[in-house]
């Protein structure tokens, strides 16, 4: 057997059924020998990491492509341009913050940074998700107002700026609870 791996016996029992299986676990990513399976790197973790890595690549490439198109056509500024720009920013926050944090949690299984870094990372993770959702809501509301009130085009630019500003404020505010002490006890599953 390879010396970089250890063989671990996992057994789960039910009243009528006992399941014993052996898995190989990489010593470098193995956190605690008596940890439940969700706190160790295993084959399922590798699949999840691979999937998140692919999502990361597609998110970065897709958003950078759209950003390049927007920059190329910046002379055609419109409400949609501004909203797409904010949506790209929020998606890139998710791609560069949330996904790598999840992947690193699955790889190392334990948090090795400080308590402050943990709080900041949880805040940014929540912030990216909230911002992406609220900007998407702004785009939907803008389209709703364009269809229902097509003649109120004059106020549309101002309304979209207010909605985007509200989206940022709501995202910042809703992410604040992630900074409390309880956020230190959340584990990646």
């Amino acid at each position: 057997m390879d010396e970089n791996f250890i063989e671990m016996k996992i057994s789960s029992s039910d009243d009528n059924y006992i399941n014993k299986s052996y898995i190989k676990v990489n010593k470098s990513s193995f956190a605690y020998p008596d940890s439940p399976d969700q706190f160790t790197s295993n084959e399922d973790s590798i699949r999840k990491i691979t999937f998140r890595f692919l999502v990361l690549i597609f998110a970065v490439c897709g958003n950078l492509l759209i950003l390049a198109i927007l920059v190329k056509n910046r002379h055609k500024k419109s409400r949609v341009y501004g909203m797409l720009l904010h949506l790209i920013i929020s998606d890139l926050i998710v791609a560069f913050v949330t996904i790598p944090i999840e992947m690193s949690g699955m790889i190392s299984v334990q948090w090795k940074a400080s308590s402050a870094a943990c709080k900041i990372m949880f805040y940014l993770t929540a912030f990216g998700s909230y911002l992406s959702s609220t900007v998407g809501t702004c785009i939907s509301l803008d389209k709703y107002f364009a269809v229902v009130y097509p003649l109120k085009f004059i106020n549309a630019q101002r309304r979209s700026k207010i909605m985007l500003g509200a989206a940022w404020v709501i995202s910042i505010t809703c992410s604040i609870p992630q900074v409390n002490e309880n956020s230190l006890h959340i584990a990646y599953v």
Side-chain angles (χ1 to χ4, degrees):
M1 177 149 69
D2 188 7
E3 65 185 39
N4 292 327
F5 288 91
I6 60 171
E7 198 168 276
M8 184 175 142
K9 180 180 175 183
I10 298 175
S11 46
S12 60
S13 63
D14 187 322
D15 288 338
N16 301 322
Y17 178 73
I18 296 177
N19 178 22
K20 292 183 181 178
S21 59
Y22 293 88
I23 63 169
K24 282 187 176 181
V25 180
N26 188 337
K27 284 183 181 178
S28 64
S29 64
F30 190 68
Y32 303 101
D34 297 327
S35 297
D37 194 37
Q38 69 261 25
F39 299 119
T40 59
S41 292
N42 56 26
E43 213 172 280
D44 189 44
S45 295
I46 293 168
R47 273 190 240 113
K48 288 178 181 179
I49 292 166
T50 304
F51 177 74
R52 280 178 175 76
F53 182 74
L54 291 173
V55 169
L56 174 71
I57 297 299
F58 284 119
V60 170
C61 291
N63 282 299
L64 290 179
L65 177 67
I66 299 298
L67 183 63
I69 292 169
L70 288 178
V71 168
K72 183 181 176 189
N73 298 322
R74 66 181 171 267
H75 59 279
K76 300 178 183 179
K77 285 190 177 180
S78 67
R79 288 187 333 270
V80 175
Y81 174 90
M83 291 191 178
L84 281 177
L85 187 61
H86 285 270
L87 187 61
I88 289 169
I89 291 168
S90 66
D91 287 345
L92 288 175
I93 289 172
V94 170
F96 286 124
V97 176
T98 304
I99 296 174
I101 289 172
E102 288 179 356
M103 289 171 53
S104 67
M106 289 178 192
I107 292 169
S108 69
V109 185
Q110 56 185 323
W111 184 257
K112 296 182 182 188
S114 68
S115 174
C118 179
K119 291 178 181 186
I120 291 168
M121 290 298 121
F122 273 109
Y123 179 85
L124 290 174
T125 298
F127 175 72
S129 300
Y130 284 130
L131 186 61
S132 184
S133 300
T134 53
V135 170
T137 303
C138 289
I139 292 171
S140 299
L141 286 172
D142 184 61
K143 295 304 167 193
Y144 168 79
F145 287 123
V147 170
V148 175
Y149 305 109
L151 299 178
K152 294 192 178 186
F153 182 74
I154 297 170
N155 295 330
Q157 189 70 24
R158 184 173 157 260
R159 182 177 55 236
S160 71
K161 287 180 181 178
I162 291 170
M163 286 191 305
L164 287 172
W168 280 84
V169 169
I170 289 169
S171 300
I172 290 168
T173 306
C174 289
S175 301
I176 290 173
Q178 296 297 319
V179 183
N180 69 13
E181 276 303 310
N182 294 332
S183 66
L184 295 174
H185 304 292
I186 296 175
Y188 292 100
V189 179

